Amino acid sequence: YILLENSSQMQHVFTSGTSGQCLEVCWLLEDTKKSLLPLWLKRMKQYGIVPQDCLCTFFSAKRYDKEPNWYIQTNREISFAKEDLYEKRMLEIYNKIVEANVKWMIVQPCLLELLYQVMKKYELPVWNSLAYIELTGEFLTNSFYKRMKKWFGVPIANQYGTHEVNTIAYGETTDYLDVVESNVYVEIVDTNGRVLQDGSEGEVCVTCFTNKAMPFVRYLVGDKGVMRTQDGKRQLRLTKARCMDLEDGTMINPYIFQKAIEITNYYMDDEVCQFQFIQKGYNVMHVILVTEGGYEFGQVCRCITEHIYQKEMQDMHFEFEKREFLFGNDEKE
């Protein structure tokens, strides 16, 4: 494989860095195709999506040595830079999507939320050619999932994977996803690497069957989850993402904030559309919220703080700020 390092047979992709390190991953093109084949069969069988259909994706401009255009378009794909997604740019993206007759999307939930907010504000219709959306790259909340299905009116799948191994699990749910067993072997392990029984929460550990150029064996993804067997299928449910630290060294999982948002949305009819928790100090958390406006803002804030149950957070001071939108570049809002 070293001899193929700089050849056209080798593909180089970069992880997003959410685990703390941006990793360059090598794939043989033929192995990439093998890895993605089970996912393509699901897309074709369940949703009628074929490789010739026009796809919309988003890319990170930070991966390029030179600044690329804010969008790249071919006959079968249109892709937009994730950076500088202010309101005017999102309107331009919507128009480009409509012009390209995009049939399906692979998109992070936070980016789809931005598109939804702009469409809602300007009363823009869902384009006629859209048939399917695939969400990936972030923990998917149930309130967001229901809201997007209602708005876009098409099947929306939840795909959990990484650039290191490609697809790990897949399904139309925010709960248990079917493991793509022809591509990966998934274990749930404790901090010592010992395999836990089904139903026990632990670290998600994956072994990839297809990436021969850069093998990942018993690789800790950085997330936590639970495994089960249902109707003869191995299924995975993600439970927690990565951690933050407090002054006494205690590690707190950011999922507790997301859980508080989910509970608030349960009681308040999906009031919170977007949220951002910014740790400004060991005991200071700045919280930015975008809400529907159906409830008084102070009431929403109280509901969120009341449902952060961890005793370690009792001394945390929460500063709340209301926004109309949350974009990647505040200077261009």
Side-chain angles (χ1 to χ4, degrees), residues 89-131:
R89 176 57 52 80
M90 291 306 302
L91 286 170
E92 293 175 310
I93 287 173
Y94 171 83
N95 290 328
K96 291 288 184 184
I97 287 174
V98 174
E99 291 172 8
N101 289 317
V102 165
K103 188 171 182 179
W104 66 297
M105 305 177 73
I106 299 179
V107 61
Q108 290 174 256
C110 66
L111 301 179
L112 189 64
E113 177 68 40
L114 290 180
L115 183 62
Y116 159 78
Q117 289 289 347
V118 168
M119 291 173 66
K120 180 182 175 184
K121 179 177 179 178
Y122 291 95
E123 299 181 350
L124 301 172
V126 177
W127 56 100
N128 293 330
S129 58
L130 183 65

Side-chain angles (χ1 to χ4, degrees), residues 98-315:
V98 174
E99 291 172 8
N101 289 317
V102 165
K103 188 171 182 179
W104 66 297
M105 305 177 73
I106 299 179
V107 61
Q108 290 174 256
C110 66
L111 301 179
L112 189 64
E113 177 68 40
L114 290 180
L115 183 62
Y116 159 78
Q117 289 289 347
V118 168
M119 291 173 66
K120 180 182 175 184
K121 179 177 179 178
Y122 291 95
E123 299 181 350
L124 301 172
V126 177
W127 56 100
N128 293 330
S129 58
L130 183 65
Y132 167 69
I133 296 173
E134 194 169 290
L135 297 174
T136 188
E138 293 173 10
F139 200 101
L140 184 60
T141 66
N142 192 48
S143 60
F144 170 82
Y145 184 72
K146 291 189 299 181
R147 187 155 44 88
M148 292 302 105
K149 286 200 73 172
K150 182 178 180 180
W151 176 265
F152 287 97
V154 298
I156 299 180
N158 182 9
Q159 192 244 125
Y160 174 58
T162 68
H163 285 297
E164 294 94 323
V165 303
N166 284 333
T167 306
I168 297 172
Y170 180 88
E172 274 194 61
T173 178
T174 59
D175 194 27
Y176 279 94
L177 303 173
D178 292 338
V179 173
V180 183
E181 295 184 84
S182 59
N183 184 50
V184 292
Y185 180 72
V186 180
E187 299 170 288
I188 301 298
V189 301
D190 63 15
T191 54
N192 295 314
R194 292 175 296 208
V195 180
L196 299 175
Q197 293 182 343
D198 283 7
S200 300
E201 181 187 76
E203 301 285 339
V204 178
C205 180
V206 297
T207 296
C208 182
F209 296 139
T210 49
N211 191 345
K212 300 184 182 69
M214 190 172 179
F216 287 87
V217 180
R218 303 204 80 210
Y219 179 68
L220 294 175
V221 177
D223 299 322
K224 289 191 174 184
V226 177
M227 289 288 290
R228 75 175 184 186
T229 300
Q230 185 81 10
D231 299 326
K233 296 180 180 179
R234 294 295 286 162
Q235 295 181 325
L236 169 67
R237 177 170 64 87
L238 295 178
T239 57
K240 295 178 182 177
R242 297 168 180 100
C243 296
M244 55 177 275
D245 64 319
L246 300 180
E247 191 169 12
D248 63 357
T250 303
M251 299 300 292
I252 296 292
N253 200 292
Y255 178 71
I256 64 175
F257 305 124
Q258 184 166 308
K259 190 67 177 178
I261 297 291
E262 277 291 274
I263 295 172
T264 299
N265 277 339
Y266 175 79
Y267 287 119
M268 294 187 168
D269 305 314
D270 297 336
E271 174 69 11
V272 181
C273 301
Q274 291 177 278
F275 61 93
Q276 189 175 49
F277 285 79
I278 303 170
Q279 187 179 8
K280 297 177 68 176
Y282 281 116
N283 296 315
V284 180
M285 188 70 68
H286 185 67
V287 185
I288 303 173
L289 299 176
V290 177
T291 61
E292 292 279 9
Y295 290 82
E296 193 268 325
F297 187 70
Q299 186 181 1
V300 177
C301 298
R302 286 192 295 274
C303 189
I304 292 172
T305 54
E306 286 171 2
H307 290 96
I308 298 176
Y309 300 116
Q310 278 68 14
K311 63 180 182 179
E312 294 87 356
M313 304 299 293
Q314 290 177 355
D315 296 328

Side-chain angles (χ1 to χ4, degrees), residues 10-25:
M10 190 71 77
Q11 180 185 40
H12 297 263
V13 296
F14 295 86
T15 65
S16 61
T18 54
S19 61
Q21 181 179 0
C22 186
L23 179 68
E24 181 179 2
V25 182

Side-chain angles (χ1 to χ4, degrees), residues 18-58:
T18 54
S19 61
Q21 181 179 0
C22 186
L23 179 68
E24 181 179 2
V25 182
C26 303
W27 278 89
L28 280 177
L29 289 178
E30 62 182 65
D31 288 342
T32 300
K33 294 177 182 177
K34 290 178 183 176
S35 176
L36 295 175
L37 181 60
L39 183 57
W40 269 110
L41 291 174
K42 287 180 179 292
R43 290 170 180 158
M44 289 187 284
K45 183 177 179 180
Q46 294 179 221
Y47 310 109
I49 300 297
V50 297
Q52 292 75 24
D53 292 328
C54 187
L55 165 67
C56 172
T57 61
F58 288 79

